[in-house]
Amino acid sequence: MPAALFISDLHLQSSHPRTSAAFLSFLEHHAQYAQALYLLGDLFEYWAGDDDLEDPFNARMTAAIRAVSDAGVHVYWIAGNRDFLVGSGFAAAAGATLLSEPHVATIAGQRIVLLHGDAECTKDVQYMEFRAMVRQPAWQKQFLSMPLAQRKAIIDGLRKSSREHNGEKSMDIMDVTPDAVAQVFAEHASTVMIHGHTHRPALHQVGHTLRYVLPDWECDVTPPRGGWIAIDARGNITRHDLNGNIID
């Protein structure tokens, strides 16, 4: 039984049925046999507020997570840049515990710092300014007071704008910066980090530190991509593809 599994950046949406099916299969065949499941952000393509739990697609995905929790798995959630409006309503429905980031977890003897990863992309000044604004409780309270349809329309506009701007940015700007990563390691007295966000899966070793980057999931393209990270009872960390095969 794995001590913990980690996934991020599935960007679940009804228009990507194969990705959704892969996620449901992962929950049924892998996650429910772990001691803990960590969802490290951008599980959903967007989250307009917990009142959107009534959407049939959102309700189905949330119920599937709840089934894993009901099976005795500890489910933890860290917000991403797409679903930072997840709140207590979702947590209760999914049987998940919301974590602030960075979060330090001791798993099978490993002290691991967990985060989504967007806060460490400090070279993207425009995004960092936007992130600082939308993470403010006052901004979120005002936004969530709007009708759901209005919120979705605003989010749709922001997504289109983001795609346009990201096409003009270099990959270097949209990746985490070494100084930001080093600061997180130092502040949390850890030598192991797991995060997502960048869609650039890899294992980076700098000195005594190990930084694992989770893959994004996209199964509605050819070839499909996705996968997860696992920690076993002895503290060994492995990266897995969509079929569960170890890739390193």
Side-chain angles (χ1 to χ4, degrees), residues 3-240:
L5 299 179
F6 305 83
I7 60 173
S8 72
D9 298 280
L10 281 81
H11 296 269
L12 295 173
Q13 51 195 303
S14 59
S15 60
H16 288 190
R18 291 186 179 89
T19 302
S20 302
F23 173 59
L24 295 175
S25 178
F26 164 77
L27 293 179
E28 179 181 358
H29 298 292
H30 299 281
Q32 74 166 339
Y33 299 106
Q35 294 179 24
L37 171 64
Y38 288 83
L39 309 172
L40 300 187
D42 285 5
L43 185 72
F44 293 95
E45 171 65 4
Y46 71 89
W47 192 260
D50 285 358
D51 50 342
D52 207 16
L53 277 165
E54 296 180 5
D55 176 87
F57 176 81
N58 291 342
R60 183 186 179 200
M61 296 300 111
T62 304
I65 298 170
R66 182 58 188 244
V68 172
S69 176
D70 288 345
V73 180
H74 299 288
V75 178
Y76 300 100
W77 171 281
I78 285 180
N81 54 295
R82 299 298 188 98
D83 47 21
F84 58 87
L85 290 173
V86 155
S88 59
F90 170 84
T97 299
L98 305 184
L99 304 175
S100 58
E101 65 167 335
H103 176 79
V104 177
T106 300
I107 303 170
Q110 291 267 28
R111 180 177 170 85
I112 304 170
V113 61
L114 305 171
L115 55 157
H116 178 59
D118 59 323
E120 286 63 45
C121 298
T122 55
K123 290 183 180 179
D124 192 346
V125 176
Q126 183 179 22
Y127 171 69
M128 294 302 291
E129 292 175 348
F130 173 79
R131 186 184 192 279
M133 178 184 71
V134 301
R135 293 302 181 104
Q136 293 177 5
W139 185 94
Q140 294 186 9
K141 182 178 180 180
Q142 181 181 15
F143 184 76
L144 291 172
S145 69
M146 299 177 184
L148 179 59
Q150 183 180 359
R151 278 178 267 147
K152 287 188 173 185
I154 293 172
I155 290 171
D156 186 55
L158 290 172
R159 289 165 63 202
K160 290 179 180 178
S161 177
S162 176
R163 285 193 293 268
E164 293 172 359
H165 288 141
N166 286 346
E168 301 171 356
K169 297 175 182 176
S170 69
M171 289 301 295
D172 180 60
I173 288 177
M174 293 188 292
D175 202 353
V176 298
T177 60
D179 288 347
V181 169
Q183 182 176 350
V184 173
F185 273 127
E187 290 180 350
H188 298 279
S190 174
T191 59
V192 181
M193 176 185 296
I194 299 176
H195 71 82
H197 179 65
T198 65
H199 298 196
R200 303 175 73 177
L203 168 57
H204 301 274
Q205 182 171 2
V206 178
H208 297 295
T209 65
L210 297 173
R211 178 168 64 91
Y212 292 84
V213 185
L214 287 159
D216 67 313
W217 290 44
E218 178 53 276
C219 301
D220 292 85
V221 298
T222 303
R225 61 182 185 267
W228 60 88
I229 286 173
I231 301 179
D232 67 18
R234 296 183 178 181
N236 299 310
I237 302 176
T238 48
R239 298 191 296 150
H240 298 253

